[in-house]
Amino acid sequence: QQPVQSPQAVILREGEDAVINCSSSKALYSVHWYRQKHGEAPVFLMILLKGGEQKGHEKISASFNEKKQQSSLYLTASQLSYSGTYFCGTENFGNEKLTFGTGTRLTIIP
Amino acid sequence: NAGVTQTPKFQVLKTGQSMTLQCAQDMNHEYMSWYRQDPGMGLRLIHYSVGAGITDQGEVPNGYNVSRSTTEDFPLRLLSAAPSQTSVYFCASSSTLSGASGGISTDTQYFGPGTRLTVL
């Protein structure tokens, strides 16, 4: 079952902040975040594991609320290069089956 | 390292034809997967494999077959192409990540460049 992302789309001016949310109806073990530019393959941003461990880029921050099965990706002081579609992916405990949401399209304008 | 390679980049099929999308990785990753991407639908998992000889179904497996005879290769077969299978197909590979809580997750997914398939 695909995780649910919100919002579906957001438009920001350069320098503004954004939060992208991801939620699941099932107990999660890990949450993954990727960004995809038009016509390209998705690129890794971050992994958050149950228990608090994280792996990802220094300039990207995210949270994982294990009780609510929710994750949020925080984009601060946005730059033009942040534009693209952001996908969250989720895995359940004991199941290495990475399922992605439908994406959030982020547009940054000068 | 070439990373993850996919062939062909573009393909046009007629309804009912069969074909195989190729995917190979040279990073010795145990985990490989196939996704299809359609407008507004995100990335949907078709099949995945946690190692040579082991495959399992994803969210949308109907009409597709896979096998994993080697660590490096994970081909996707379309048995009888239908217009509903028009899509962009991505192959991905990763190692695994062990957490302190005892679980295992897939690690960073390395995606191939994609195959754009049109079924007429």
Side-chain angles (χ1 to χ4, degrees), chain B residues 80-120:
Chain B
S80 176
S84 61
Q85 294 179 304
T86 293
S87 187
V88 178
Y89 291 84
F90 287 102
C91 176
S93 77
S94 76
S95 57
T96 53
L97 201 59
S98 297
S101 60
I104 296 177
S105 166
T106 57
D107 202 340
T108 305
Q109 296 291 320
Y110 292 87
F111 285 86
T115 293
R116 186 174 295 274
L117 176 68
T118 301
V119 183
L120 303 174

Side-chain angles (χ1 to χ4, degrees), chain B:
Chain B
N1 286 352
V4 179
T5 58
Q6 289 184 239
T7 56
K9 289 187 178 180
F10 301 94
Q11 183 71 49
V12 179
L13 292 178
K14 293 182 179 179
T15 296
Q17 287 184 315
S18 62
M19 78 159 296
T20 299
L21 306 185
Q22 300 292 345
C23 174
Q25 52 95 6
D26 61 359
M27 297 172 281
N28 201 33
H29 286 162
E30 54 266 45
Y31 185 92
M32 296 186 74
S33 56
W34 278 101
Y35 292 90
R36 60 176 290 174
Q37 185 170 35
D38 305 292
M41 303 294 286
L43 294 158
R44 291 185 293 170
L45 182 64
I46 305 172
H47 286 286
Y48 66 103
S49 169
V50 298
I54 307 169
T55 63
D56 206 347
Q57 296 181 349
E59 306 164 88
V60 288
N62 292 341
Y64 307 95
N65 269 358
V66 292
S67 60
R68 183 100 179 266
S69 56
T70 67
T71 300
E72 295 79 18
D73 301 300
F74 191 43
L76 178 72
R77 298 182 189 84
L78 279 69
L79 309 174
S80 176
S84 61
Q85 294 179 304
T86 293
S87 187
V88 178
Y89 291 84
F90 287 102
C91 176
S93 77
S94 76
S95 57
T96 53
L97 201 59
S98 297
S101 60
I104 296 177
S105 166
T106 57
D107 202 340
T108 305
Q109 296 291 320
Y110 292 87
F111 285 86
T115 293
R116 186 174 295 274
L117 176 68
T118 301
V119 183
L120 303 174

Side-chain angles (χ1 to χ4, degrees), chain A residues 29-32 34 44 46-50 52-56 91-96, chain B residues 29-31 94-109:
Chain A
Y29 177 70
S30 65
V31 180
H32 304 233
Y34 286 78
F44 170 76
M46 177 163 281
I47 296 173
L48 303 100
L49 300 181
K50 184 180 176 68
E53 296 162 271
Q54 296 186 0
K55 174 182 176 180
E91 289 179 350
N92 305 121
F93 207 103
N95 186 347
E96 296 159 60
Chain B
H29 286 162
E30 54 266 45
Y31 185 92
S94 76
S95 57
T96 53
L97 201 59
S98 297
S101 60
I104 296 177
S105 166
T106 57
D107 202 340
T108 305
Q109 296 291 320

